[in-house]
Amino acid sequence: MINLISPNKKQYKANLHCHSVLSDGRRTPEELKAMYRSRGYDILAITDHERPVQHQALSEKDFMMLTGYECYIRPDPSGKYDVYAVETHLNLFAKDPMNVKMICFNDNYSRYLKRDNAVSELVRVGSEKPREYSVSYINEYIRTAKKHGYLVAYNHPYWSMEDEANILAYEGLFSVEMCNYSSWLLNHLEYSGALYDKMLRNGKHIFCHGADDNHNNYPEDHPLSDSFGSFTMIIPEEFTYAGVIEAMEKGNMYASMGPVFHRISVDGDTVHIECSDVSHAFLYTGSKSPQHVHAEQGTSFNSIDFKIDPNARYIRISVRDSEGRWADTRGFFPDEFR
Ligand SMILES: [Zn+2]
Ligand SMILES: [Zn+2]
């Protein structure tokens, strides 16, 4: 029997995308840490726009701050925002907590740094030529970030409006945001199950995660509060910075808006799932016909078995609870479950 999610390993709740007053968020890093800690989170990555900063002084034995930032590339060389134009946003997670290298600095993208006179402190690496919205430039950017110790994730595919062909041509991304909650709140379309399946069908070995991307423009009890909506459960061997990064790099994590998986194991041609109470479950395999289970109205279930098609290109499990909140595993390829 193979455990894809082991019942014996502790899962740590993470928000991997978050903005503070260092860019366009409303809360200080200290306030963000206190908010998330009090709501049962174990891990927080404050990923301010174009602003690599480490917040390790806020880490505690039972609460970890991950170092990283969010970068973007726009078609207009001046970096100007255009609500009708595509753009690429990537989250960079530092494998070394003290790594605050700025990848491919460009002055057109440094307004928050300029505001606080922080440009001069930057450790700059990579080409500083003007940013260019092209697959080759973005791939060069990803390569440079990886070379300098970052894991690179693809953010909010719906909001960014990029062509799928472009997204599929990006190389070296370790994970894609399955749900970006602040975008989801505004459009109810920022859930990327279909795109993620397309990536897997194209043979991309990429994981998925969930995040708030909170800016906290509204109080926590407001319907537009963008905190605590979408998260990642990370399952490290040990709760250290290196252990959490290793788990992310190996895909020992899943995305959720609410439900949790307690166990996913494969025994021969059967995958067994134990989870919190849900009303729908799906096994995606890269075919036109995912397997599915649906609860009778007003009921729920917390254990499901699916038979795995011998021709399955991959397996990926999604569950949905009665409030419409999804939880999604990454895709597992046959060499991991056969
Ligand atoms: Zn973004
Ligand atoms: Zn963001």
Side-chain angles (χ1 to χ4, degrees):
M1 197 185 60
I2 299 163
N3 278 327
L4 300 177
I5 291 179
S6 167
N8 305 317
K9 285 189 185 155
K10 185 164 159 45
Q11 303 182 6
Y12 295 87
K13 190 171 185 177
N15 177 19
L16 296 177
H17 189 162
C18 171
H19 298 278
S20 78
V21 293
L22 293 177
S23 61
D24 58 352
R26 291 290 182 91
R27 304 293 181 101
T28 64
E30 290 77 9
E31 288 168 340
L32 289 164
K33 173 201 161 182
M35 281 169 66
Y36 277 85
R37 197 173 186 211
S38 73
R39 291 286 293 248
Y41 283 70
D42 307 289
I43 299 166
L44 177 65
I46 296 179
T47 52
D48 278 305
H49 296 287
E50 297 292 338
R51 186 136 198 203
V53 177
Q54 58 85 9
H55 300 284
Q56 292 306 303
L58 298 177
S59 278
E60 313 219 16
K61 227 183 159 87
D62 63 351
F63 193 87
M64 186 180 299
M65 302 296 291
L66 289 186
T67 301
Y69 72 101
E70 181 175 25
C71 76
Y72 61 103
I73 293 136
R74 290 178 174 159
D76 186 326
S78 72
K80 201 165 97 275
Y81 178 67
D82 174 352
V83 73
Y84 283 99
V86 301
E87 51 191 278
T88 307
H89 287 213
L90 304 171
N91 257 17
L92 275 48
F93 300 103
K95 294 200 215 183
D96 172 343
M98 304 311 278
N99 179 7
V100 289
K101 287 178 190 163
M102 162 62 90
I103 305 300
C104 302
F105 173 80
N106 182 278
D107 197 47
N108 290 340
Y109 289 79
S110 64
R111 72 181 164 124
Y112 298 115
L113 294 160
K114 280 191 268 199
R115 183 187 69 189
D116 296 349
N117 297 317
V119 179
S120 60
E121 299 154 21
L122 287 180
V123 185
R124 301 180 191 182
V125 295
S127 160
E128 296 190 12
K129 67 187 176 191
R131 291 197 186 167
E132 174 192 304
Y133 182 75
S134 69
V135 169
S136 64
Y137 177 83
I138 290 164
N139 277 336
E140 180 187 328
Y141 190 101
I142 297 168
R143 261 197 316 278
T144 307
K146 289 179 70 175
K147 187 174 143 206
H148 289 281
Y150 288 106
L151 299 177
V152 184
Y154 189 83
N155 297 347
H156 44 65
Y158 176 79
W159 185 91
S160 291
M161 302 202 305
E162 286 197 274
D163 284 345
E164 278 182 358
N166 280 40
I167 300 175
L168 291 169
Y170 298 149
E171 290 163 1
L173 299 167
F174 91 104
S175 191
V176 59
E177 281 181 348
M178 181 58 85
C179 176
N180 175 296
Y181 189 61
S182 78
S183 175
W184 163 265
L185 272 176
L186 304 181
N187 55 46
H188 275 220
L189 291 171
E190 194 70 76
Y191 169 77
S192 294
L195 171 69
Y196 186 53
D197 264 339
K198 190 161 278 191
M199 290 173 139
L200 296 173
R201 278 205 302 278
N202 277 269
K204 287 206 138 359
H205 284 240
I206 185 167
F207 308 138
C208 65
H209 64 288
D212 281 336
D213 194 5
N214 50 300
H215 294 70
N216 305 104
N217 291 316
Y218 300 91
E220 275 175 49
D221 56 357
H222 191 281
L224 286 176
S225 165
D226 53 4
S227 276
F228 316 123
S230 178
F231 55 91
T232 305
M233 294 303 267
I234 301 178
I235 312 166
E237 292 298 326
E238 52 169 34
F239 188 62
T240 59
Y241 195 99
V244 167
I245 289 289
E246 185 193 19
M248 290 166 67
E249 206 167 7
K250 287 183 170 170
N252 293 328
M253 60 180 185
Y254 62 87
S256 182
M257 300 166 82
V260 289
F261 294 108
H262 301 306
R263 166 192 211 129
I264 298 179
S265 50
V266 177
D267 197 354
D269 63 353
T270 302
V271 57
H272 175 67
I273 300 144
E274 291 169 22
C275 56
S276 54
D277 288 342
V278 296
S279 49
H280 304 268
F282 302 87
L283 178 72
Y284 301 100
T285 61
S287 81
K288 291 194 191 69
S289 301
Q291 292 188 57
H292 45 94
V293 177
H294 307 272
E296 299 277 338
Q297 187 124 40
T299 69
S300 61
F301 53 86
N302 55 25
S303 169
I304 315 113
D305 285 321
F306 286 119
K307 282 266 182 271
I308 304 173
D309 180 336
N311 296 317
R313 303 283 197 271
Y314 58 85
I315 59 171
R316 177 172 91 74
I317 293 134
S318 292
V319 293
R320 194 176 180 198
D321 71 12
S322 56
E323 290 174 54
R325 303 178 305 177
W326 291 91
D328 299 90
T329 73
R330 69 174 173 94
F332 296 94
F333 286 89
D335 59 333
E336 295 179 280
F337 65 82
R338 294 279 186 218

